[in-house]
Amino acid sequence: MPSLIMKTVLLLGFALAVTPLRGADSKARDEFVPLFDNRRVTVAVPEGIGSSLGQDENGMPVLRLADARASYSLELRFLPDPDGRFASARGRKEQMVEMFSEYVGESSEKGMQFEELEPKTGAGCYCVFTDAKLVGRKDLPPGEYIHVTAGVKSWRGAVAIFRFYSNDTTSSQYRALLGMLRESVHERPPPLR
């Protein structure tokens, strides 16, 4: 018969195993974005970040996130991917070159340095671009950002294309939003019956 300590350890281990990870910010709120074909994606929005849901010119869902001071701005566009164009690492990178090459010329990187997103669900990658004309400036014009982190996150039959505008890439808020992209932004499986 297991001891009381052993039972407590087993119960604690079970509770941790079934508790969903929410990143460093445990005060995240779930936003539900209706997709196509009666699908729905869940986004765990960190505390202090506002959100608005809309549609692009083709009627596809777009979720915009920003803090009150507009020091960060993140846009997520959701598209169907029935042919799996974004399913492979090569496919994702080829699509990113098509979508984000506009940032290369004015960036201090002068190229695309791909980073794996390593999400909890699905697959993804991103690049960080630094606006060469804003580097070192303290007085940024309203709505201008030094960095754009652009990327894709894909899962079966769908893709989220993101553009994340920020003035740094090391703060806790930047890491929280990047963590949100890794840990959430996916469809939850339906409950077992």
Side-chain angles (χ1 to χ4, degrees), residues 62-63 65 73-79 86 92 96 99-100 103 115-119 123-129 148-155 159-165 174 177-182 184-185:
V62 177
L63 181 64
L65 306 171
S73 176
L74 174 63
E75 178 184 275
L76 287 157
R77 288 184 185 273
F78 298 93
L79 301 171
F86 293 89
R92 283 187 296 280
M96 284 179 60
M99 293 183 296
F100 305 130
Y103 299 119
E115 299 283 334
E116 287 300 313
L117 186 60
E118 299 176 353
C125 58
Y126 64 94
C127 295
V128 177
F129 301 99
V148 61
T149 302
V152 297
K153 180 175 181 178
S154 67
W155 61 96
V159 64
I161 299 165
F162 59 89
R163 286 180 174 86
F164 178 11
Y165 302 94
Y174 178 89
L177 286 166
L178 203 56
M180 176 203 73
L181 291 167
R182 287 185 177 111
S184 72
V185 187

Side-chain angles (χ1 to χ4, degrees), residues 119-137:
K120 179 177 156 183
T121 300
C125 58
Y126 64 94
C127 295
V128 177
F129 301 99
T130 306
D131 190 332
K133 70 181 183 300
L134 297 178
V135 172
R137 285 188 58 181

